[in-house]
């Protein structure tokens, strides 16, 4: 049976980012009511101004704060009477350059985990009673980093792999309740966060060029992700991988992972660049 998003209430965390904003516009276009959340009230207010006031609730929310999340969920139910879909999309990465585990700042590493992994957990846990009651859906924005090597982006990749398993576990647990959970795996996207995730400099760009073929490195727009997600939700798909060229890599992740790990550890050019990166980013 097709799941119709029209008149459904959708909560989006990280709503003002590239994927979050694109999904908000796509869902709204298909008749959904929106709960837009992000760390800044002014940013969600700006996005909300694009939509009819009757179909949008814009609230600042901190996914590292249980009380902040609970307050927004309560306001959602008061405003719209229900919550059907939660898109746990909020995420951060390195603030400036890419780092290795050896030379990164401990506080920044743990902050990324707190937002990207535990923030998703808090959002899901708080949303579940309403989502289950309405036989709705939970969606987590994971990444191709859930099944590719996280070199130079370890906290981000660790989080994306972690929320993938969280969503997979949740899907099995929700089946008898009529609700579902979906993992969204975007590839490289043309958003500001992408530059942070991949370092945004010549060294990490060269590493990508050595480690990935050109067809996998081509970035797509957030709008393509939003379109794919909307279609996937209509069928309650367990996983949505976009662009589709990453699907074979995901299917063969065990084999590809073994080769990839070996290649990265043994390629002299990449190892030399890693040492250069560490030297450049010494504390």
């Amino acid at each position: 049976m097709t799941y119709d998003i029209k008149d459904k209430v959708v909560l989006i965390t990280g709503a003002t980012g590239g994927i979050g904003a694109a999904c908000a516009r796509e869902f709204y276009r298909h008749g959904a009511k929106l709960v837009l959340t992000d760390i800044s009230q002014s940013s969600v207010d700006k996005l909300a101004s694009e939509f009819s006031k009757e179909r949008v609730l814009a609230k600042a929310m901190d996914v590292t704060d249980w009380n902040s999340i609970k307050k927004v969920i309560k306001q959602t139910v008061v405003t719209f009477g229900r919550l059907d879909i939660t898109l746990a999309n909020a995420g951060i990465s390195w603030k400036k350059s890419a780092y290795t585990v050896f030379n990164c700042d401990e506080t920044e590493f743990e902050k990324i985990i707190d937002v990207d992994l535990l923030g998703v957990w808090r959002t899901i846990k708080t949303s579940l009673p309403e989502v289950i009651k309405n036989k709705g859906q939970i969606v987590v924005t994971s990444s191709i980093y859930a099944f590719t090597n996280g070199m130079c982006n370890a906290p981000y990749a660790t989080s994306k792999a972690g929320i993938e398993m969280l969503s997979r576990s949740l899907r099995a647990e929700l089946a008898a309740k009529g609700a579902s959970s979906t993992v969204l795996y975007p590839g490289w996207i043309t958003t500001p966060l992408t530059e942070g995730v991949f370092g945004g400099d010549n060294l990490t760009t060269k590493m990508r060029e050595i480690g990935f073929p050109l067809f996998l490195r081509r970035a797509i727009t957030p709008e393509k992700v939003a379109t794919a997600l909307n279609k996937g939700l209509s069928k309650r798909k367990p996983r949505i991988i976009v662009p589709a060229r990453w699907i074979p890599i995901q299917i063969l992740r065990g084999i590809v992972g073994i080769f990839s790990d070996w290649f990265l550890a043994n390629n002299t050019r990449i190892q030399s660049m890693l040492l250069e990166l560490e030297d450049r980013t010494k504390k």
Side-chain angles (χ1 to χ4, degrees), residues 140-187:
V140 302
T141 302
S142 182
S143 166
I144 57 169
Y145 260 132
F147 51 85
T148 59
N149 193 288
M151 181 186 71
C152 297
N153 299 292
Y156 181 87
T158 298
S159 299
K160 296 306 182 180
I163 64 174
E164 177 200 34
M165 182 51 69
L166 176 59
S167 180
R168 288 174 58 194
S169 302
L170 183 61
R171 187 177 180 90
E173 295 171 356
L174 290 177
K177 297 178 173 66
S180 61
S181 182
T182 295
V183 187
L184 174 64
Y185 303 87

Side-chain angles (χ1 to χ4, degrees), residues 46-60:
K46 182 179 179 181
L47 178 61
S49 67
E50 299 181 22
F51 312 117
S52 167
K53 292 181 179 179
E54 292 73 24
R55 287 173 54 194
V56 65
L57 174 66
K59 291 293 177 182

Side-chain angles (χ1 to χ4, degrees), residues 206-221:
K206 288 177 182 177
M207 290 183 203
R208 293 201 307 275
E209 290 173 352
I210 296 171
F212 293 93
L214 178 60
F215 77 98
L216 288 179
R217 298 199 310 270
R218 293 194 185 102
I220 63 171
T221 64

Side-chain angles (χ1 to χ4, degrees), residues 3-253:
Y3 185 90
D4 190 354
I5 201 171
K6 185 179 180 181
D7 294 326
K8 298 297 192 298
V9 179
V10 185
L11 183 146
I12 305 174
T13 67
T16 63
I19 291 177
C23 288
R25 296 179 183 113
E26 179 75 5
F27 295 157
Y28 183 85
R29 188 167 66 86
H30 284 84
K33 298 173 184 177
L34 305 175
V35 182
L36 306 176
T37 74
D38 216 316
I39 197 68
S40 162
Q41 185 64 49
S42 61
S43 65
V44 288
D45 285 342
K46 182 179 179 181
L47 178 61
S49 67
E50 299 181 22
F51 312 117
S52 167
K53 292 181 179 179
E54 292 73 24
R55 287 173 54 194
V56 65
L57 174 66
K59 291 293 177 182
M61 188 175 88
D62 182 356
V63 297
T64 68
D65 183 344
W66 281 102
N67 288 329
S68 177
I69 302 169
K70 290 174 181 177
K71 182 178 179 181
V72 170
I73 298 297
K74 183 177 181 180
Q75 290 174 319
T76 297
V77 177
V78 169
T79 302
F80 294 121
R82 60 192 293 129
L83 172 61
D84 299 281
I85 300 172
T86 290
L87 171 54
N89 172 72
I92 60 173
S93 188
W94 302 123
K95 292 180 181 178
K96 296 181 180 178
S97 177
Y99 294 93
T100 65
V101 173
F102 175 72
N103 79 325
C104 71
D105 178 78
E106 297 91 338
T107 301
E108 186 176 7
F109 188 106
E110 292 180 4
K111 176 66 174 180
I112 295 169
I113 295 288
D114 197 20
V115 173
D116 294 8
L117 174 57
L118 296 180
V120 169
W121 143 249
R122 295 183 191 103
T123 302
I124 290 174
K125 179 64 174 175
T126 312
S127 301
L128 270 179
E130 274 295 312
V131 171
I132 290 173
K133 183 173 73 173
N134 297 309
K135 300 186 185 304
Q137 302 190 56
I138 295 288
V139 185
V140 302
T141 302
S142 182
S143 166
I144 57 169
Y145 260 132
F147 51 85
T148 59
N149 193 288
M151 181 186 71
C152 297
N153 299 292
Y156 181 87
T158 298
S159 299
K160 296 306 182 180
I163 64 174
E164 177 200 34
M165 182 51 69
L166 176 59
S167 180
R168 288 174 58 194
S169 302
L170 183 61
R171 187 177 180 90
E173 295 171 356
L174 290 177
K177 297 178 173 66
S180 61
S181 182
T182 295
V183 187
L184 174 64
Y185 303 87
W188 282 315
I189 312 298
T190 53
T191 68
L193 177 61
T194 303
E195 284 303 305
V197 170
F198 299 118
D201 57 40
N202 289 333
L203 272 179
T204 52
T205 297
K206 288 177 182 177
M207 290 183 203
R208 293 201 307 275
E209 290 173 352
I210 296 171
F212 293 93
L214 178 60
F215 77 98
L216 288 179
R217 298 199 310 270
R218 293 194 185 102
I220 63 171
T221 64
E223 287 72 25
K224 289 187 177 181
V225 178
T227 299
L229 176 57
N230 186 63
K231 290 180 179 178
L233 290 179
S234 70
K235 300 177 181 178
R236 291 187 183 266
K237 285 190 173 182
R239 61 194 63 83
I240 300 167
I241 304 170
V242 57
R245 54 181 171 264
W246 283 98
I247 293 176
I249 307 299
Q250 199 271 350
I251 293 173
L252 299 172
R253 63 198 295 178

